[in-house]
Amino acid sequence: MGRASQADAAQHRDEVVEAASHLFRERGIVAVSVPELMAAAGLTHGGFYRHFESKDALAAIAVTAAFASQVTQIEQVVVDNRDDIESARRIFLDDYLSVEHRDSAGDGCPNAGLATEVARLPDDSDIRTAFTAGLHQMVSAIGKVGAGEEGEALVELSTLVGAMVLARAAAGDEVSDRILREVRRSLDRR
């Protein structure tokens, strides 16, 4: 394979990972087919196995990418507000507990988008391993936006994810917006 085709192959692989990261958070891993993944990346499904051993192998990579993206966003809020951690915390919480986040699962928190599905996987699943590693990264990142020690960051992340899962499940009913508002208000008191 020549240089241009190797570069193209790497770009195509990255496009599939990005599409998978989005679609898996939006619809779930099981609900998305290989042809749908490839079409979302603008490719034909015939080339899938040139890039990935299996859909599960892609899912583990996509989960890792989803967490990396989320952690990078949180860390950017910290950098942008390095002199005012309270502002960083407010910005993070406002973004996480927003209607936009609720309504954009494909671009949102992988915890809220994937936790219930990953919980059903075997303990030794590569997808579960990737998810757990990402969970640890999220706890660390949330600690940087003023959540406190690891235990406090775990409680805060659990509260945020639970709120988002419930708000998404109830989308279309007024209780969905109330969940976001009330959890935001509760976290302000901490």
Side-chain angles (χ1 to χ4, degrees):
M1 204 182 274
R3 285 197 137 159
S5 60
Q6 285 179 345
D8 288 345
Q11 180 180 346
H12 292 281
R13 184 181 192 282
D14 291 346
E15 290 166 348
V16 174
V17 170
E18 184 176 333
S21 174
H22 177 85
L23 286 173
F24 291 159
R25 284 181 281 171
E26 181 177 76
R27 295 180 27 212
I29 296 167
V30 173
V32 179
S33 70
V34 168
E36 288 174 307
L37 289 168
M38 296 301 280
L43 303 168
T44 61
H45 73 274
F48 179 83
Y49 292 101
R50 282 194 297 265
H51 299 288
F52 308 99
E53 182 181 310
S54 65
K55 182 179 164 190
D56 283 354
L58 168 60
I61 294 165
V63 166
T64 298
F67 274 106
S69 175
Q70 185 77 30
V71 167
T72 297
Q73 289 174 18
I74 296 167
E75 289 175 345
Q76 189 60 53
V77 169
V78 173
V79 168
D80 291 347
N81 297 278
R82 69 180 142 266
D83 296 329
D84 187 358
I85 196 65
E86 285 304 315
S87 287
R89 179 173 167 72
R90 255 189 325 279
I91 291 166
F92 166 70
L93 292 173
D94 288 346
D95 182 56
Y96 196 99
L97 294 168
S98 68
V99 170
E100 293 78 20
H101 183 206
R102 180 197 63 200
D103 296 345
S104 301
D107 297 318
C109 177
N111 289 297
L114 298 169
T116 57
E117 186 170 3
V118 171
R120 294 181 186 100
L121 297 173
D123 290 347
D124 63 349
S125 164
D126 289 342
I127 300 167
R128 185 179 273 236
T129 299
F131 183 91
T132 303
L135 175 62
H136 285 283
Q137 294 167 353
M138 282 286 295
V139 170
S140 177
I142 287 175
K144 294 175 185 173
V145 288
E149 299 296 321
E150 183 179 15
E152 293 168 344
L154 279 167
V155 169
E156 188 156 298
L157 178 60
S158 298
T159 302
L160 291 167
V161 171
M164 188 54 58
V165 169
L166 292 173
R168 285 179 179 163
D173 188 280
E174 61 88 23
V175 74
S176 178
D177 290 339
R178 282 188 50 219
I179 290 167
L180 298 175
R181 279 193 314 272
E182 294 302 325
V183 170
R184 180 65 181 93
R185 191 174 326 193
S186 174
L187 291 173
D188 274 343
R189 287 182 244 151
R190 286 190 175 185

